């Protein structure tokens, strides 16, 4: 795992709104509008959060007609967990590239 990408992922995960969006996407794919309906913040703010999650590879997006659907990217979350588990297992192997 690349250190730079890991830093982007941790930055994305550091915000409670973005963590809540990930929780919501565990239920299934949703549009930005459907996600925004669950928050009391502006739609442009939700779009900003979704863009940061997308840049961190924590969500995928796919256009279907006039809508963009967001999906949880569990494989990246698994990679982050493997990296974290390395600390619990006292694994001295480096699991990312500089």
């Amino acid at each position: 795992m690349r250190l730079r990408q890991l830093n982007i992922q941790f930055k994305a995960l550091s915000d409670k709104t973005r963590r809540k969006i990930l929780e919501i996407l565990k239920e299934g794919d949703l549009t930005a509008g459907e996600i925004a309906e669950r928050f009391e913040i502006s739609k442009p703010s939700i779009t900003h959060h979704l863009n940061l999650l997308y840049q961190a590879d924590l969500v995928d997006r796919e256009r279907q007609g006039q809508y963009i659907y967001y999906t949880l990217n569990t494989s990246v979350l698994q990679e982050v967990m493997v990296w974290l588990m390395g600390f619990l297992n006292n694994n001295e192997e480096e699991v990312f590239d500089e």
Side-chain angles (χ1 to χ4, degrees), residues 24-60:
I24 290 168
L25 288 173
K26 283 188 339 186
E27 300 169 14
D29 301 354
L30 295 169
T31 66
E34 291 169 331
I35 294 167
E37 289 172 358
R38 300 187 185 203
F39 291 89
E40 293 185 14
I41 59 177
S42 69
K43 288 184 181 182
S45 292
I46 291 296
T47 299
H48 173 73
H49 287 296
L50 287 167
N51 284 333
L52 290 174
L53 289 169
Y54 179 75
Q55 290 171 12
D57 291 330
L58 295 168
V59 298
D60 291 322

mmCIF file of all heavy atoms in Angstrom, residues 24-60:
data_model
loop_
_atom_site.group_PDB
_atom_site.id
_atom_site.type_symbol
_atom_site.label_atom_id
_atom_site.label_comp_id
_atom_site.label_asym_id
_atom_site.label_seq_id
_atom_site.Cartn_x
_atom_site.Cartn_y
_atom_site.Cartn_z
ATOM 1 N N ILE A 24 -23.741 4.893 5.976
ATOM 2 C CA ILE A 24 -24.972 4.887 5.180
ATOM 3 C C ILE A 24 -24.807 4.002 3.945
ATOM 4 O O ILE A 24 -25.709 3.250 3.586
ATOM 5 C CB ILE A 24 -25.361 6.333 4.794
ATOM 6 C CG1 ILE A 24 -25.835 7.101 6.033
ATOM 7 C CG2 ILE A 24 -26.425 6.348 3.711
ATOM 8 C CD1 ILE A 24 -25.969 8.596 5.819
ATOM 9 N N LEU A 25 -23.641 4.078 3.314
ATOM 10 C CA LEU A 25 -23.418 3.293 2.094
ATOM 11 C C LEU A 25 -23.281 1.798 2.362
ATOM 12 O O LEU A 25 -23.355 1.000 1.422
ATOM 13 C CB LEU A 25 -22.204 3.829 1.338
ATOM 14 C CG LEU A 25 -22.419 5.175 0.644
ATOM 15 C CD1 LEU A 25 -21.110 5.708 0.059
ATOM 16 C CD2 LEU A 25 -23.486 5.063 -0.428
ATOM 17 N N LYS A 26 -23.117 1.419 3.635
ATOM 18 C CA LYS A 26 -23.130 -0.022 3.956
ATOM 19 C C LYS A 26 -24.487 -0.622 3.616
ATOM 20 O O LYS A 26 -24.586 -1.805 3.315
ATOM 21 C CB LYS A 26 -22.836 -0.255 5.447
ATOM 22 C CG LYS A 26 -21.392 -0.102 5.799
ATOM 23 C CD LYS A 26 -21.015 -0.511 7.215
ATOM 24 C CE LYS A 26 -22.066 -0.555 8.248
ATOM 25 N NZ LYS A 26 -21.574 -0.831 9.605
ATOM 26 N N GLU A 27 -25.538 0.201 3.634
ATOM 27 C CA GLU A 27 -26.898 -0.256 3.343
ATOM 28 C C GLU A 27 -27.115 -0.506 1.858
ATOM 29 O O GLU A 27 -28.030 -1.216 1.476
ATOM 30 C CB GLU A 27 -27.911 0.779 3.830
ATOM 31 C CG GLU A 27 -27.839 1.054 5.309
ATOM 32 C CD GLU A 27 -28.667 2.272 5.716
ATOM 33 O OE1 GLU A 27 -29.502 2.743 4.906
ATOM 34 O OE2 GLU A 27 -28.474 2.758 6.836
ATOM 35 N N GLY A 28 -26.291 0.126 1.001
ATOM 36 C CA GLY A 28 -26.436 -0.042 -0.441
ATOM 37 C C GLY A 28 -26.086 1.228 -1.191
ATOM 38 O O GLY A 28 -25.841 2.281 -0.600
ATOM 39 N N ASP A 29 -26.069 1.131 -2.499
ATOM 40 C CA ASP A 29 -25.720 2.251 -3.363
ATOM 41 C C ASP A 29 -26.777 3.347 -3.280
ATOM 42 O O ASP A 29 -27.975 3.056 -3.231
ATOM 43 C CB ASP A 29 -25.613 1.794 -4.817
ATOM 44 C CG ASP A 29 -24.578 0.701 -5.021
ATOM 45 O OD1 ASP A 29 -23.859 0.367 -4.058
ATOM 46 O OD2 ASP A 29 -24.489 0.180 -6.142
ATOM 47 N N LEU A 30 -26.311 4.596 -3.272
ATOM 48 C CA LEU A 30 -27.213 5.744 -3.206
ATOM 49 C C LEU A 30 -26.689 6.884 -4.060
ATOM 50 O O LEU A 30 -25.479 6.980 -4.309
ATOM 51 C CB LEU A 30 -27.339 6.250 -1.764
ATOM 52 C CG LEU A 30 -27.974 5.317 -0.738
ATOM 53 C CD1 LEU A 30 -27.778 5.870 0.664
ATOM 54 C CD2 LEU A 30 -29.452 5.144 -1.040
ATOM 55 N N THR A 31 -27.583 7.762 -4.481
ATOM 56 C CA THR A 31 -27.170 8.978 -5.172
ATOM 57 C C THR A 31 -26.749 10.020 -4.140
ATOM 58 O O THR A 31 -27.056 9.899 -2.948
ATOM 59 C CB THR A 31 -28.322 9.556 -6.015
ATOM 60 O OG1 THR A 31 -29.360 9.993 -5.131
ATOM 61 C CG2 THR A 31 -28.856 8.535 -7.013
ATOM 62 N N ALA A 32 -26.079 11.066 -4.627
ATOM 63 C CA ALA A 32 -25.680 12.150 -3.726
ATOM 64 C C ALA A 32 -26.906 12.781 -3.075
ATOM 65 O O ALA A 32 -26.890 13.113 -1.890
ATOM 66 C CB ALA A 32 -24.873 13.193 -4.486
ATOM 67 N N GLY A 33 -27.986 12.926 -3.833
ATOM 68 C CA GLY A 33 -29.219 13.497 -3.285
ATOM 69 C C GLY A 33 -29.814 12.645 -2.186
ATOM 70 O O GLY A 33 -30.278 13.161 -1.165
ATOM 71 N N GLU A 34 -29.800 11.333 -2.387
ATOM 72 C CA GLU A 34 -30.329 10.423 -1.364
ATOM 73 C C GLU A 34 -29.476 10.468 -0.103
ATOM 74 O O GLU A 34 -30.000 10.392 1.018
ATOM 75 C CB GLU A 34 -30.388 9.002 -1.919
ATOM 76 C CG GLU A 34 -31.427 8.811 -3.001
ATOM 77 C CD GLU A 34 -31.306 7.493 -3.730
ATOM 78 O OE1 GLU A 34 -30.191 6.936 -3.848
ATOM 79 O OE2 GLU A 34 -32.351 7.001 -4.198
ATOM 80 N N ILE A 35 -28.176 10.615 -0.282
ATOM 81 C CA ILE A 35 -27.282 10.730 0.876
ATOM 82 C C ILE A 35 -27.541 12.062 1.585
ATOM 83 O O ILE A 35 -27.658 12.115 2.808
ATOM 84 C CB ILE A 35 -25.811 10.597 0.444
ATOM 85 C CG1 ILE A 35 -25.548 9.176 -0.074
ATOM 86 C CG2 ILE A 35 -24.864 10.950 1.593
ATOM 87 C CD1 ILE A 35 -24.235 9.010 -0.803
ATOM 88 N N ALA A 36 -27.655 13.133 0.805
ATOM 89 C CA ALA A 36 -27.859 14.474 1.375
ATOM 90 C C ALA A 36 -29.135 14.560 2.191
ATOM 91 O O ALA A 36 -29.194 15.301 3.176
ATOM 92 C CB ALA A 36 -27.869 15.513 0.254
ATOM 93 N N GLU A 37 -30.168 13.805 1.812
ATOM 94 C CA GLU A 37 -31.434 13.819 2.545
ATOM 95 C C GLU A 37 -31.271 13.375 3.991
ATOM 96 O O GLU A 37 -32.097 13.698 4.838
ATOM 97 C CB GLU A 37 -32.453 12.903 1.863
ATOM 98 C CG GLU A 37 -32.974 13.426 0.550
ATOM 99 C CD GLU A 37 -33.840 12.419 -0.192
ATOM 100 O OE1 GLU A 37 -34.023 11.281 0.300
ATOM 101 O OE2 GLU A 37 -34.326 12.775 -1.282
ATOM 102 N N ARG A 38 -30.216 12.658 4.299
ATOM 103 C CA ARG A 38 -30.003 12.140 5.652
ATOM 104 C C ARG A 38 -29.190 13.085 6.537
ATOM 105 O O ARG A 38 -28.867 12.745 7.671
ATOM 106 C CB ARG A 38 -29.317 10.784 5.574
ATOM 107 C CG ARG A 38 -30.153 9.778 4.790
ATOM 108 C CD ARG A 38 -29.555 8.436 4.868
ATOM 109 N NE ARG A 38 -30.272 7.489 4.027
ATOM 110 C CZ ARG A 38 -30.249 6.199 4.222
ATOM 111 N NH1 ARG A 38 -29.568 5.696 5.231
ATOM 112 N NH2 ARG A 38 -30.896 5.394 3.420
ATOM 113 N N PHE A 39 -28.830 14.242 5.987
ATOM 114 C CA PHE A 39 -28.013 15.210 6.719
ATOM 115 C C PHE A 39 -28.709 16.564 6.740
ATOM 116 O O PHE A 39 -29.544 16.854 5.897
ATOM 117 C CB PHE A 39 -26.641 15.362 6.050
ATOM 118 C CG PHE A 39 -25.758 14.152 6.161
ATOM 119 C CD1 PHE A 39 -25.818 13.150 5.200
ATOM 120 C CD2 PHE A 39 -24.881 14.006 7.221
ATOM 121 C CE1 PHE A 39 -25.013 12.029 5.293
ATOM 122 C CE2 PHE A 39 -24.075 12.895 7.319
ATOM 123 C CZ PHE A 39 -24.141 11.902 6.361
ATOM 124 N N GLU A 40 -28.312 17.375 7.686
ATOM 125 C CA GLU A 40 -28.831 18.739 7.772
ATOM 126 C C GLU A 40 -27.756 19.728 7.344
ATOM 127 O O GLU A 40 -27.585 20.776 7.967
ATOM 128 C CB GLU A 40 -29.315 19.017 9.188
ATOM 129 C CG GLU A 40 -30.535 18.199 9.554
ATOM 130 C CD GLU A 40 -31.098 18.554 10.918
ATOM 131 O OE1 GLU A 40 -30.717 19.604 11.479
ATOM 132 O OE2 GLU A 40 -31.926 17.776 11.403
ATOM 133 N N ILE A 41 -27.040 19.378 6.284
ATOM 134 C CA ILE A 41 -26.050 20.276 5.704
ATOM 135 C C ILE A 41 -26.367 20.405 4.209
ATOM 136 O O ILE A 41 -27.156 19.632 3.668
ATOM 137 C CB ILE A 41 -24.598 19.794 5.937
ATOM 138 C CG1 ILE A 41 -24.354 18.405 5.337
ATOM 139 C CG2 ILE A 41 -24.266 19.800 7.413
ATOM 140 C CD1 ILE A 41 -22.923 17.931 5.481
ATOM 141 N N SER A 42 -25.749 21.357 3.556
ATOM 142 C CA SER A 42 -26.082 21.649 2.158
ATOM 143 C C SER A 42 -25.639 20.517 1.220
ATOM 144 O O SER A 42 -24.695 19.776 1.513
ATOM 145 C CB SER A 42 -25.424 22.958 1.729
ATOM 146 O OG SER A 42 -24.015 22.791 1.660
ATOM 147 N N LYS A 43 -26.320 20.436 0.094
ATOM 148 C CA LYS A 43 -25.951 19.436 -0.919
ATOM 149 C C LYS A 43 -24.537 19.662 -1.451
ATOM 150 O O LYS A 43 -23.808 18.696 -1.646
ATOM 151 C CB LYS A 43 -26.985 19.408 -2.041
ATOM 152 C CG LYS A 43 -28.287 18.777 -1.610
ATOM 153 C CD LYS A 43 -29.271 18.666 -2.748
ATOM 154 C CE LYS A 43 -30.573 18.038 -2.227
ATOM 155 N NZ LYS A 43 -31.551 17.869 -3.295
ATOM 156 N N PRO A 44 -24.117 20.925 -1.664
ATOM 157 C CA PRO A 44 -22.721 21.118 -2.089
ATOM 158 C C PRO A 44 -21.708 20.598 -1.059
ATOM 159 O O PRO A 44 -20.656 20.082 -1.434
ATOM 160 C CB PRO A 44 -22.603 22.634 -2.273
ATOM 161 C CG PRO A 44 -23.989 23.067 -2.607
ATOM 162 C CD PRO A 44 -24.877 22.178 -1.764
ATOM 163 N N SER A 45 -22.032 20.702 0.227
ATOM 164 C CA SER A 45 -21.142 20.159 1.263
ATOM 165 C C SER A 45 -21.063 18.640 1.173
ATOM 166 O O SER A 45 -19.979 18.054 1.288
ATOM 167 C CB SER A 45 -21.611 20.560 2.659
ATOM 168 O OG SER A 45 -21.450 21.936 2.844
ATOM 169 N N ILE A 46 -22.199 17.995 0.944
ATOM 170 C CA ILE A 46 -22.214 16.536 0.788
ATOM 171 C C ILE A 46 -21.393 16.140 -0.434
ATOM 172 O O ILE A 46 -20.600 15.189 -0.387
ATOM 173 C CB ILE A 46 -23.659 16.002 0.680
ATOM 174 C CG1 ILE A 46 -24.387 16.160 2.008
ATOM 175 C CG2 ILE A 46 -23.680 14.539 0.219
ATOM 176 C CD1 ILE A 46 -23.804 15.348 3.159
ATOM 177 N N THR A 47 -21.561 16.888 -1.528
ATOM 178 C CA THR A 47 -20.780 16.610 -2.739
ATOM 179 C C THR A 47 -19.288 16.726 -2.461
ATOM 180 O O THR A 47 -18.490 15.901 -2.930
ATOM 181 C CB THR A 47 -21.203 17.560 -3.877
ATOM 182 O OG1 THR A 47 -22.593 17.342 -4.157
ATOM 183 C CG2 THR A 47 -20.390 17.338 -5.129
ATOM 184 N N HIS A 48 -18.894 17.726 -1.696
ATOM 185 C CA HIS A 48 -17.485 17.895 -1.318
ATOM 186 C C HIS A 48 -16.991 16.677 -0.534
ATOM 187 O O HIS A 48 -15.927 16.131 -0.832
ATOM 188 C CB HIS A 48 -17.319 19.167 -0.480
ATOM 189 C CG HIS A 48 -15.958 19.335 0.099
ATOM 190 N ND1 HIS A 48 -14.865 19.683 -0.654
ATOM 191 C CD2 HIS A 48 -15.518 19.172 1.370
ATOM 192 C CE1 HIS A 48 -13.792 19.729 0.133
ATOM 193 N NE2 HIS A 48 -14.161 19.426 1.364
ATOM 194 N N HIS A 49 -17.764 16.238 0.443
ATOM 195 C CA HIS A 49 -17.383 15.060 1.228
ATOM 196 C C HIS A 49 -17.288 13.810 0.348
ATOM 197 O O HIS A 49 -16.362 13.014 0.479
ATOM 198 C CB HIS A 49 -18.385 14.825 2.364
ATOM 199 C CG HIS A 49 -18.275 15.814 3.475
ATOM 200 N ND1 HIS A 49 -17.154 15.941 4.269
ATOM 201 C CD2 HIS A 49 -19.162 16.728 3.936
ATOM 202 C CE1 HIS A 49 -17.346 16.889 5.164
ATOM 203 N NE2 HIS A 49 -18.564 17.390 4.988
ATOM 204 N N LEU A 50 -18.244 13.646 -0.560
ATOM 205 C CA LEU A 50 -18.226 12.496 -1.467
ATOM 206 C C LEU A 50 -17.009 12.534 -2.385
ATOM 207 O O LEU A 50 -16.391 11.491 -2.647
ATOM 208 C CB LEU A 50 -19.514 12.438 -2.290
ATOM 209 C CG LEU A 50 -20.750 11.997 -1.524
ATOM 210 C CD1 LEU A 50 -22.013 12.284 -2.328
ATOM 211 C CD2 LEU A 50 -20.668 10.521 -1.162
ATOM 212 N N ASN A 51 -16.625 13.717 -2.838
ATOM 213 C CA ASN A 51 -15.436 13.835 -3.677
ATOM 214 C C ASN A 51 -14.169 13.453 -2.921
ATOM 215 O O ASN A 51 -13.285 12.788 -3.471
ATOM 216 C CB ASN A 51 -15.313 15.242 -4.259
ATOM 217 C CG ASN A 51 -16.275 15.487 -5.399
ATOM 218 O OD1 ASN A 51 -16.678 14.553 -6.093
ATOM 219 N ND2 ASN A 51 -16.659 16.733 -5.607
ATOM 220 N N LEU A 52 -14.077 13.852 -1.659
ATOM 221 C CA LEU A 52 -12.912 13.471 -0.855
ATOM 222 C C LEU A 52 -12.879 11.968 -0.620
ATOM 223 O O LEU A 52 -11.810 11.343 -0.670
ATOM 224 C CB LEU A 52 -12.910 14.224 0.474
ATOM 225 C CG LEU A 52 -12.621 15.724 0.370
ATOM 226 C CD1 LEU A 52 -12.792 16.397 1.726
ATOM 227 C CD2 LEU A 52 -11.228 15.966 -0.182
ATOM 228 N N LEU A 53 -14.029 11.362 -0.367
ATOM 229 C CA LEU A 53 -14.089 9.900 -0.205
ATOM 230 C C LEU A 53 -13.722 9.191 -1.504
ATOM 231 O O LEU A 53 -13.042 8.161 -1.482
ATOM 232 C CB LEU A 53 -15.487 9.481 0.256
ATOM 233 C CG LEU A 53 -15.848 9.862 1.688
ATOM 234 C CD1 LEU A 53 -17.338 9.647 1.938
ATOM 235 C CD2 LEU A 53 -15.011 9.071 2.682
ATOM 236 N N TYR A 54 -14.125 9.755 -2.626
ATOM 237 C CA TYR A 54 -13.793 9.178 -3.929
ATOM 238 C C TYR A 54 -12.287 9.286 -4.189
ATOM 239 O O TYR A 54 -11.655 8.325 -4.638
ATOM 240 C CB TYR A 54 -14.595 9.877 -5.034
ATOM 241 C CG TYR A 54 -14.290 9.357 -6.408
ATOM 242 C CD1 TYR A 54 -14.775 8.125 -6.835
ATOM 243 C CD2 TYR A 54 -13.510 10.095 -7.292
ATOM 244 C CE1 TYR A 54 -14.494 7.641 -8.098
ATOM 245 C CE2 TYR A 54 -13.230 9.621 -8.558
ATOM 246 C CZ TYR A 54 -13.714 8.392 -8.953
ATOM 247 O OH TYR A 54 -13.420 7.919 -10.214
ATOM 248 N N GLN A 55 -11.699 10.436 -3.895
ATOM 249 C CA GLN A 55 -10.253 10.627 -4.073
ATOM 250 C C GLN A 55 -9.455 9.663 -3.200
ATOM 251 O O GLN A 55 -8.363 9.233 -3.568
ATOM 252 C CB GLN A 55 -9.859 12.065 -3.761
ATOM 253 C CG GLN A 55 -10.343 13.059 -4.781
ATOM 254 C CD GLN A 55 -10.123 14.496 -4.324
ATOM 255 O OE1 GLN A 55 -9.423 14.762 -3.344
ATOM 256 N NE2 GLN A 55 -10.738 15.428 -5.035
ATOM 257 N N ALA A 56 -10.014 9.320 -2.052
ATOM 258 C CA ALA A 56 -9.355 8.373 -1.141
ATOM 259 C C ALA A 56 -9.640 6.927 -1.522
ATOM 260 O O ALA A 56 -9.182 6.013 -0.841
ATOM 261 C CB ALA A 56 -9.814 8.637 0.297
ATOM 262 N N ASP A 57 -10.393 6.714 -2.590
ATOM 263 C CA ASP A 57 -10.786 5.373 -3.054
ATOM 264 C C ASP A 57 -11.679 4.637 -2.061
ATOM 265 O O ASP A 57 -11.797 3.414 -2.116
ATOM 266 C CB ASP A 57 -9.573 4.499 -3.391
ATOM 267 C CG ASP A 57 -8.826 4.975 -4.616
ATOM 268 O OD1 ASP A 57 -9.467 5.560 -5.511
ATOM 269 O OD2 ASP A 57 -7.599 4.774 -4.687
ATOM 270 N N LEU A 58 -12.298 5.351 -1.144
ATOM 271 C CA LEU A 58 -13.174 4.709 -0.173
ATOM 272 C C LEU A 58 -14.577 4.489 -0.727
ATOM 273 O O LEU A 58 -15.326 3.671 -0.205
ATOM 274 C CB LEU A 58 -13.229 5.537 1.115
ATOM 275 C CG LEU A 58 -11.892 5.607 1.854
ATOM 276 C CD1 LEU A 58 -11.950 6.664 2.953
ATOM 277 C CD2 LEU A 58 -11.523 4.256 2.421
ATOM 278 N N VAL A 59 -14.922 5.232 -1.775
ATOM 279 C CA VAL A 59 -16.186 5.012 -2.485
ATOM 280 C C VAL A 59 -15.909 4.989 -3.981
ATOM 281 O O VAL A 59 -14.943 5.592 -4.463
ATOM 282 C CB VAL A 59 -17.262 6.083 -2.166
ATOM 283 C CG1 VAL A 59 -17.634 6.087 -0.706
ATOM 284 C CG2 VAL A 59 -16.836 7.458 -2.629
ATOM 285 N N ASP A 60 -16.753 4.286 -4.695
ATOM 286 C CA ASP A 60 -16.756 4.303 -6.155
ATOM 287 C C ASP A 60 -18.008 5.041 -6.585
ATOM 288 O O ASP A 60 -18.975 5.153 -5.825
ATOM 289 C CB ASP A 60 -16.789 2.878 -6.719
ATOM 290 C CG ASP A 60 -15.488 2.131 -6.476
ATOM 291 O OD1 ASP A 60 -14.418 2.767 -6.576
ATOM 292 O OD2 ASP A 60 -15.547 0.930 -6.188
#
